Amino acid sequence: MSSSPDTIAREVRRRRTFAIISHPDAGKSTMTEALALHARMISEAGAVHGKSGRKATVSDWMEMEKARGISVSSTALQFNYTPTGLANEDPGDEVEPNVINLVDTPGHADFSEDTYRVLTAVDAAVMLIDAAKGLEPQTLKLFQVCRHRGIPVITVVNKWDRPGQTPLELIDEISERIGLTPTPLYVPVGIAGDFRGLYDRRSGSYVKFSRTAGGAKIAPEELLDAQQAAQIEGDAWTAAVEESELLSEMGQDHDEELFLAGATSPMIFTSAMLNFGVRQLLEALVELAPAPAPRDDVDGKPREVTDPFSAVVFKVQAGMDASHRDRLAYMRIVSGEFERGMVVTHAQTGRPFATKYAQAVFGRDRSTVDTAYPGDVVGLVNATALAPGDTLYDDPAVEFPPIGSFAPEHFATLRARSAGKYKQFRKAMDQLESEGVVQVLRNDTRGDASPVLAAVGPMQFEVVTARMLAEFTVETELEPLGYSLARRTDDASSPELDRQRGVEVFTRTDGARLALFSDKWRLQFIEKEHPDLTLEPLVAAAD
Ligand code: G4P
């Protein structure tokens, strides 16, 4: 039976859906595990990094995966969290917990369209940075996507237990390089490498941490007032208070409106490894990050969260199981209640889609999550017809804007090694393109036997060649092309562009005309010589 709008609204209010954006090695896996520990999904951390003296608890972790159908590498990790006074306090079960969805962004160093798409499914992001390294390339790229999509960002400075930069250096770096103003919620007491606790800027009190063996358990916290703190911590406390005053003078206090508008970012200092500051992060998410909100449809009309069911597919994953050729589509619920078994409509084809065979891939039990609400992520198996950006709904009809394709930076031609495999090659190309694995460009000169693949990250090419072989038994040859950027153009400008050296014009499968350039100097030269030509930058996301 469907829930009432009131029930749905309540479910929505207690949900937070976010992703962690970080450069590899900043501590995303360690933090994910620490969050699970604080949400009491696991009793001991250490599965991720057992080797450095912590007790390995892989079995604990795996048991949990088995029992609850989740994993650190899964697409979305869902857990309940009840804010507690202190991390070591039992939250009790009188209060209804918050439901936190942590949507995973691909962890590899390479950058792909997948990463961008995942960020269309979240309402907030946690930008995790290494205290010693500050902003790193992948953090920057991911942050640009958040900015473009208007996703509010909470900044977490991790590894504070190790020597690193000062808070003010990090704050300056973030303000200057990305134009986001950090508004620390806490100031660390003790310099990087000597992490003692956090000065809570809003209450003026001190949260003192104690280490646990190997950082495997929740670190006990003690709440002290300013006087006690000054006595215990002396100069370290004074320094923290002074820093906080300085920040206030510079106007760097949390402001809800500015945060939601993407101008400021609440900042927290943590040690994921020691489990310090993790409760503070969870609480910031619950307190400050927005709950799932209405989403505009293609006509700009909002679909309210309490409207009948609707969802957007943001990721399609195929070939995970070689024996099954399965295709899993992950949808983020936008409105209403999802009940396993309901028959919904696929907006792009108008066809019914039976979720009877669907599987919820997160949650307490892999196969028996029967209901889900806005903000939740559900995996649909055998979803052959679904592609990233597609809409599913229960009447009344709705269609959300496409996720959009992203500015490619890597280009290569692909052909089947054996001409006899051409038919298979075509079929495979269509399939992989429809899943959004790669963009496909064509022009008359090159013909169809060796289309040009365009990708945001070169790893997308590897996925194509590997899957061509594994799933379609087509051996392929990939040849990188000497182009490095693309601009959107039109029919009128194409002939002139085609005449230029270092430029080639293509049509993408969605009909868009793209001109590829060898490098930015070539582009600048042509723009200068031919100011009348249409050359529009491709944005990171097409909305
Ligand atoms: P990632 O998912 O973002 O790639 O990072 P991951 O959690 O794998 O962490 C990368 C490395 O940083 C690991 O060290 C991890 O232990 C360490 N790390 C993560 N958080 C913290 C922290 O708060 N403080 C300190 N000091 N280190 C942290 P490793 O050398 O690769 O592994 P291991 O030898 O620690 O097992």
Side-chain angles (χ1 to χ4, degrees):
M1 227 190 54
S2 298
S3 300
S4 69
D6 280 354
T7 306
I8 294 169
R10 208 185 70 223
E11 291 295 338
V12 168
R13 270 198 303 277
R14 67 191 188 109
R15 276 169 166 70
R16 298 292 180 274
T17 300
F18 78 105
I20 299 179
I21 58 174
S22 66
H23 195 81
D25 259 8
K28 190 170 71 158
S29 325
T30 313
M31 183 57 85
T32 302
E33 200 184 41
L35 292 169
L37 180 72
H38 279 254
R40 287 152 170 91
M41 290 179 85
I42 49 172
S43 55
E44 220 167 286
V48 183
H49 295 286
K51 51 184 197 281
S52 56
R54 298 166 89 170
K55 187 170 161 255
T57 52
V58 178
S59 61
D60 188 4
W61 191 248
M62 280 179 11
E63 273 309 306
M64 180 187 65
E65 280 195 17
K66 244 184 5 214
R68 299 184 174 185
I70 60 159
S71 88
V72 252
S73 56
S74 72
T75 288
L77 176 71
Q78 187 183 57
F79 53 86
N80 285 350
Y81 177 71
T82 310
T84 52
L86 291 174
N88 39 310
E89 258 171 28
D90 196 321
D93 42 17
E94 296 94 69
V95 196
E96 194 171 44
N98 285 96
V99 179
I100 314 277
N101 293 303
L102 168 50
V103 185
D104 194 32
T105 49
H108 46 74
D110 188 20
F111 210 66
S112 70
E113 294 187 82
D114 232 20
T115 319
Y116 283 118
R117 293 191 194 115
V118 164
L119 290 173
T120 67
V122 302
D123 303 314
V126 166
M127 178 163 80
L128 187 74
I129 59 183
D130 181 322
K133 296 187 180 149
L135 290 170
E136 294 179 86
Q138 184 137 337
T139 334
L140 283 172
K141 278 195 172 187
L142 289 160
F143 169 75
Q144 296 303 350
V145 184
C146 292
R147 159 162 296 168
H148 182 77
R149 301 199 58 86
I151 301 169
V153 173
I154 295 176
T155 301
V156 170
V157 177
N158 189 36
K159 306 198 185 179
W160 198 255
D161 58 292
R162 282 218 303 229
Q165 304 182 49
T166 67
L168 292 180
E169 279 167 348
L170 287 157
I171 288 168
D172 279 351
E173 187 187 359
I174 294 169
S175 309
E176 279 164 23
R177 288 184 62 194
I178 60 180
L180 182 73
T181 306
T183 54
L185 300 173
Y186 302 87
V187 173
V189 175
I191 56 167
D194 177 28
F195 197 3
R196 305 184 197 178
L198 292 169
Y199 168 55
D200 183 338
R201 296 187 63 210
R202 291 178 296 173
S203 70
S205 54
Y206 176 44
V207 185
K208 186 179 183 313
F209 296 126
S210 308
R211 287 181 183 232
T212 64
K217 303 259 190 197
I218 290 177
E221 293 177 343
E222 221 180 315
L223 196 65
L224 302 172
D225 64 26
Q227 212 180 349
Q228 293 167 311
Q231 251 168 25
I232 296 175
E233 306 296 0
D235 290 348
W237 172 257
T238 315
V241 175
E242 280 173 7
E243 237 157 65
S244 173
E245 283 166 359
L246 193 65
L247 288 166
S248 296
E249 272 169 33
M250 297 189 298
Q252 285 175 262
D253 296 328
H254 173 68
D255 177 299
E256 189 182 355
E257 215 172 293
L258 291 174
F259 162 57
L260 295 178
T264 62
S265 175
M267 192 182 209
I268 297 173
F269 295 79
T270 66
S271 165
M273 199 177 72
L274 299 178
N275 294 304
F276 288 5
V278 180
R279 172 181 72 87
Q280 285 74 10
L281 170 58
L282 281 164
E283 255 144 59
L285 281 164
V286 167
E287 214 188 305
L288 312 177
R295 185 178 286 222
D296 285 349
D297 68 10
V298 279
D299 302 319
K301 186 171 159 277
R303 179 86 163 187
E304 300 297 334
V305 286
T306 49
D307 282 345
F309 168 81
S310 69
V312 177
V313 175
F314 65 93
K315 176 173 170 165
V316 172
Q317 213 166 38
M320 288 191 300
D321 180 347
S323 58
H324 282 99
R325 277 264 177 109
D326 58 342
R327 178 158 161 171
L328 214 71
Y330 294 93
M331 62 174 178
R332 158 167 171 148
I333 299 175
V334 174
S335 66
E337 184 182 46
F338 172 76
E339 290 176 288
R340 197 152 53 92
M342 73 199 290
V343 178
V344 297
T345 308
H346 177 213
Q348 277 62 26
T349 56
R351 297 227 181 91
F353 184 91
T355 62
K356 181 164 64 168
Y357 305 107
Q359 198 183 28
V361 288
F362 65 84
R364 299 197 166 270
D365 192 314
R366 201 171 265 262
S367 55
T368 58
V369 171
D370 291 319
T371 49
Y373 295 95
D376 293 346
V377 170
V378 176
L380 303 164
V381 291
N382 289 327
T384 40
L386 303 183
D390 285 3
T391 302
L392 293 168
Y393 66 82
D394 195 8
D395 280 336
V398 66
E399 186 177 338
F400 296 108
I403 289 181
S405 46
F406 304 93
E409 290 173 13
H410 299 271
F411 306 90
T413 56
L414 189 74
R415 73 173 56 123
R417 273 221 170 136
S418 134
K421 287 277 189 180
Y422 180 61
K423 251 175 95 178
Q424 276 295 82
F425 174 77
R426 275 290 300 266
K427 197 172 147 227
M429 207 61 260
D430 286 350
Q431 156 101 25
L432 296 174
E433 188 185 11
S434 79
E435 283 175 27
V437 174
V438 76
Q439 296 177 36
V440 182
L441 312 179
R442 296 182 172 87
N443 64 20
D444 289 344
T445 325
R446 289 181 183 268
D448 221 19
S450 60
V452 169
L453 310 188
V456 173
M459 195 179 275
Q460 287 174 247
F461 295 150
E462 279 171 47
V463 172
V464 171
T465 50
R467 288 190 54 193
M468 280 267 178
L469 190 62
E471 291 166 48
F472 302 90
T473 59
V474 182
E475 237 182 290
T476 51
E477 220 163 87
L478 187 85
E479 198 181 313
L481 281 175
Y483 299 117
S484 67
L485 76 167
R487 285 289 182 271
R488 191 186 287 267
T489 186
D490 54 22
D491 287 352
S493 305
S494 298
E496 182 60 48
L497 283 167
D498 255 336
R499 274 195 288 276
Q500 303 292 322
R501 211 159 31 86
V503 187
E504 196 173 345
V505 180
F506 290 90
T507 307
R508 198 167 58 189
T509 309
D510 64 0
R513 278 290 175 103
L514 299 191
L516 308 192
F517 297 83
S518 51
D519 51 59
K520 67 173 190 268
W521 295 280
R522 196 79 220 138
L523 168 66
Q524 280 164 2
F525 175 77
I526 292 167
E527 279 178 326
K528 209 166 133 233
E529 293 289 302
H530 303 275
D532 50 316
L533 294 176
T534 304
L535 290 170
E536 290 164 9
L538 290 145
V539 286
D543 55 348

